[in-house]
Amino acid sequence: MKILISVLVPLVTDLLFIYSQKMESDKWLITCPKSCQCQNQLSARLNISLKTVNCTNAGLKKIPNGLQPSTQSLLLGYNHLTDLNDQLFPVLSQLKELDLSFNQIKQLGRGMILQNFTELRSLDLSYNDFRNLLDGVFRGLNRLEILIITHVQIKFIAEHVFDGLTNLQHLSLNGNQLHAIFPEWFMDLGKLECLYLDNNSISYINSGSFAFLKNLRNLSISHNRIKGISQHAFDGLENLTILNLSYNQLVKIPSASFQPIKHIKILHLSGNSFTEIQTGDFVHARFQHLSLDNISDLWLIDRGSFWDLINLRVIKLHNNHQLQYIDPEAFINVPNIEKLYLHNNNLSALSQELMRNFRGNTEITLYDNPLLCDCNVNWIHQIINGKNKTGIKFSESERLTCGGLQETERHLLKEMDEFPAHCPPVLIGRINNTEDKKMGDKHIFQCRAHGIPTPKIHWILPTGILVNETSNNLHLQLTHTGCLTIYHLKLKDSGSYTCVAENYLGETIGITDLIVEKIDIKIFPLGVSSTYVTVVWNGTARNNFPEYEILYRLADDKKEYRSVTVSQYFRSYTINNLEPETQYEFCIAVKSKESGQMMQIACTKVETRDENYMLQGIHHTSNVAVAAVLGIIVVMLLVICAVTVAARKYRQRQYDTPEKSLVNNMLQIPMENLHSPLMSHLGS
């Protein structure tokens, strides 16, 4: 009997529990609010089955009645909710998911609306009408893991608005109007793994912006207005694996900023404003996937742009409509490339030397490029026709075409006959155009060439002087790639520069006209004495130099100038210890960082006064000063005397007049009216 009881009691208990649960579940289903659907449903965000009240697109203007405390998921998206402050949510102690997206909620206040949802794990507030997030609005949501606030046009987020959300793993703030990122937002978000800040108005990323996010794995800040990134912007992101900076306004690869990210695998830089990928832009990094596509101004990928990237598997360089040239040694120690996307660019050739750095099987997309039908495509022709067994494969090879320099007709490369092994040079680059620069600028003339054998490049200056790599000096330098750099341009540097590319089959030239404009800065004297001159200048506010040099020397002296360094904010300076009755030359200049030489911008000549000028000035000034001082003293004495007399009369009137008045009044009183109480008393 005891054995039977011991078996039946637990069984009955379990049955009662199941029955009570069923009754509660039936009650939850029976009391489902009108216009809503109630069912057990898999949550897409939490990936668990929840008791779900789905009131999506139900035309609601307020929180529905009849919500049971056992509700675990409440979906109120696509309704007409506006002000939740005057509505009270029922106590939903088991609520794990709340969707309030696509409403017209005007404000969230400071925590009164959401404070009772202590078990909440997912909250969606997207597509509403509030403009700020104030401290305390998420108070009590300590278990929250997913917070989505996209396309709400938020302009202000208080520094500590996310305090207490210590379990948050996913935060999306896409599609708002944020102009900056503040590290204080993330102080309590040590478990955050995904942060999305796309489609805002962020223009710069400061140092330490994400320093508290040690566990962040995915950071996306695409489609903003980012023009600059601090070298220490990504410090602290020890576990970041995906970084998306696409479609911003970066003009230079922020290489130093990427160095602290030790475990990054995927980097997106598509759609920025790069014109060149330069030597060392990507070096010693662990990227596996790199996107540099859809960059409208990119025309050159230089030697050593991708250096020592042993983990790189996929690189996207397609849809760059200006991309004309990839240096044969653009990839150095990048052995494991599996896919190289180069389609829909402006490439007229692709060097076979480029492939020597790829050790494994590499798939290349090269279609929709204006390839030339010359020796440079011979190796490609052989591969797609199976005559050259390598690890290289061209995807969609049937779309590869080539043509002539002047031809508009394109030919299928696969169907062409054999090409010659050698051909003369073809120039590539920004040639046959005009460049406008200002004095003091640095200018790089770019000239590249395809051909077999590899063409050699030299330049001819406007003076007719031929420049090669042995002609380099502090002012002018030519690199082995064909770049001619002129530092600190002078007016005399204007003229036509001719690039010459040649091999034994011939040569070709390209001409670039350089116009160097004078900087609109003027210097002139403001005050001239026997031993000093004050010079002033204008125009420095319009020109971007951090500092200037004021040069001076005797006008007829050919010795070196003496100089004084002044800030860009100065507008005048006084030079002392000059010789009287002597002509000096004063100039304003800038110093070249590369060479240390001075570049004069504007000059003026001034003659100091004779020795008597200072004495005359002193005598003249002294007479005037004496007269002025004496006049002031006389006036002051008169004023003091007048004030003294007036004060004495005033005091006398206050002291004398009352006494005289009293005496006069007393004389008018009869003697018998004078009465002494003491004397009266004695007489009685």
Side-chain angles (χ1 to χ4, degrees), residues 335-486:
N336 296 310
I337 293 287
E338 297 173 357
K339 290 187 178 181
L340 174 60
Y341 294 90
L342 293 174
H343 58 275
N344 200 20
N345 290 316
N346 194 27
L347 297 170
S348 58
L350 188 68
S351 174
Q352 187 176 5
E353 299 294 319
L354 193 73
M355 304 301 120
R356 292 185 179 179
N357 292 288
F358 302 157
R359 298 174 188 168
N361 294 325
T362 303
E363 183 179 343
I364 301 174
T365 62
L366 193 59
Y367 55 85
D368 292 338
N369 276 282
L371 299 173
L372 293 177
C373 293
D374 62 11
C375 66
N376 294 291
V377 296
N378 187 36
W379 71 279
I380 302 173
H381 179 266
Q382 291 180 351
I383 288 176
I384 63 178
N385 282 288
K387 297 179 180 180
N388 187 354
K389 301 296 183 180
T390 67
I392 304 299
K393 177 185 176 182
F394 287 95
S395 298
E396 301 188 50
S397 58
E398 67 279 1
R399 297 177 61 181
L400 286 173
T401 62
C402 67
L405 280 171
Q406 307 300 326
E407 295 179 8
T408 57
E409 185 180 359
R410 307 294 296 173
H411 310 282
L412 287 175
L413 185 57
K414 190 172 185 177
E415 298 177 358
M416 296 289 290
D417 295 330
E418 292 292 331
F419 295 94
H422 298 158
C423 56
V426 175
L427 280 183
I428 301 294
R430 298 182 171 180
I431 52 178
N432 299 324
N433 61 357
T434 300
E435 299 283 352
D436 294 318
K437 295 292 179 179
K438 284 188 175 183
M439 289 175 60
D441 287 350
K442 178 178 78 171
H443 183 63
I444 300 175
F445 293 93
Q446 292 279 10
C447 184
R448 309 299 173 100
H450 292 301
I452 301 175
T454 303
K456 294 194 175 186
I457 294 176
H458 64 266
W459 286 83
I460 300 175
L461 303 183
T463 58
I465 297 175
L466 185 146
V467 176
N468 54 34
E469 291 184 52
T470 63
S471 309
N472 290 343
N473 55 50
L474 292 175
H475 180 57
L476 184 148
Q477 293 184 11
L478 177 67
T479 66
H480 59 280
T481 59
C483 300
L484 177 66
T485 303
I486 302 180

Side-chain angles (χ1 to χ4, degrees), residues 224-228 245-254 268-278 281 291-300 320 322 430:
N224 277 273
R225 302 174 184 175
I226 299 172
K227 295 182 178 179
L245 291 167
S246 297
Y247 298 96
N248 281 288
Q249 299 173 17
L250 295 169
V251 297
K252 183 174 174 54
I253 304 293
H268 298 290
L269 290 168
S270 308
N272 275 280
S273 302
F274 313 123
T275 57
E276 303 175 10
I277 308 298
Q278 300 177 346
D281 274 350
S291 298
L292 289 161
D293 52 291
N294 293 287
I295 303 174
S296 59
D297 296 324
L298 180 64
W299 78 274
L300 167 70
N320 298 317
Q322 299 297 322
R430 298 182 171 180

